[in-house]
């Protein structure tokens, strides 16, 4: 089965591009969603408590994801520790996803940190969704209701978007008014061959 990575910086519009591929019948695995599912596993929560402490837990036993983000994006050691808990579970879920969609011409693996953690080496090729930082920040401020300072701290923990673009096999320029659908259709045609 052909595995295609979709990456790009926070706020570049990866989800919108993935939705375009989905319209063409291509199954898409969203790594963030799979990572979020980990928080429903009691064993995982025990490991999170050991790594990050009791203060990231709410009285109902669930985690305060905003507090986790604040902690890990301020401390690379904690970020690495959390990623070491999440990533193996995400990749196991991706393996099961590929088995389930084995008849598809290819599957997508969407992740903002595809290159940062070597997931690109598990893909047959990579598509980068690109948008300039200023436009990404505008989108993120309204989407995440976070300050520029908070967002820049998170972005600083990712590979620069320009570097992702250089390393990718294909690039989708996701500007307003740019024919995103046409770019996706063109890449889809190549990937189906």
């Amino acid at each position: 089965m052909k595995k295609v990575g979709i990456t790009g910086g926070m706020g570049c519009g990866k989800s919108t591009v993935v939705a375009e591929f989905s319209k063409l019948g291509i199954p898409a695995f969203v790594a963030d969603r799979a990572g979020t599912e980990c928080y429903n596993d009691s064993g995982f929560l025990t490991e999170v408590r050991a790594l990050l402490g009791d203060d990231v837990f709410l009285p109902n036993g669930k985690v305060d994801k905003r507090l986790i983000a604040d902690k890990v994006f301020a401390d690379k050691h904690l970020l690495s520790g959390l990623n070491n808990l999440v990533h193996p579970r995400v990749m196991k879920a991706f393996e099961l996803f590929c088995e389930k969609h084995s008849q598809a011409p290819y599957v997508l693996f969407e992740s903002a940190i595809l290159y940062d953690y070597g997931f690109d080496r598990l893909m047959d090729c990579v598509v980068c969704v690109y948008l300039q930082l200023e436009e990404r920040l505008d989108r993120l401020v309204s989407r995440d209701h976070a300050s520029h300072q908070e967002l820049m701290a998170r972005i600083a923990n990712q590979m620069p978007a320009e570097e992702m673009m250089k390393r990718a096999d294909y690039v989708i320029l996701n500007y307003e008014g740019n024919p995103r659908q046409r770019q996706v259709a063109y890449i889809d045609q190549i990937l189906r061959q």
Side-chain angles (χ1 to χ4, degrees), residues 53-152:
D54 293 332
D55 61 319
V56 299
F57 284 83
L58 300 168
N60 65 5
K62 296 197 181 292
V63 295
D64 182 334
K65 291 186 181 167
R66 187 167 179 104
L67 186 55
I68 287 177
D70 291 346
K71 269 190 144 178
V72 301
F73 287 118
D75 183 331
K76 287 187 184 283
H77 175 71
L78 291 178
L79 178 61
S80 176
L82 183 61
N83 284 333
N84 288 336
L85 299 178
V86 174
H87 293 166
R89 288 171 167 91
V90 169
M91 293 316 293
K92 179 64 179 164
F94 181 57
E95 287 173 25
L96 296 172
F97 180 87
C98 290
E99 289 172 18
K100 180 180 174 186
H101 297 285
S102 61
Q103 300 305 311
Y106 60 94
V107 296
L108 301 177
F109 179 89
E110 187 263 304
S111 173
I113 55 173
L114 190 81
Y115 289 117
D116 305 70
Y117 293 94
F119 299 141
D120 60 306
R121 292 190 295 272
L122 305 173
M123 303 297 135
D124 294 294
C125 66
V126 174
V127 176
C128 176
V129 182
Y130 180 79
L131 187 64
Q132 287 181 321
L133 181 61
E134 297 77 26
E135 288 188 58
R136 290 168 47 206
L137 284 170
D138 289 343
R139 287 182 181 186
L140 288 166
V141 166
S142 59
R143 183 189 83 184
D144 295 356
H145 308 292
S147 70
H148 276 255
Q149 186 178 352
E150 290 172 309
L151 294 168
M152 287 306 294

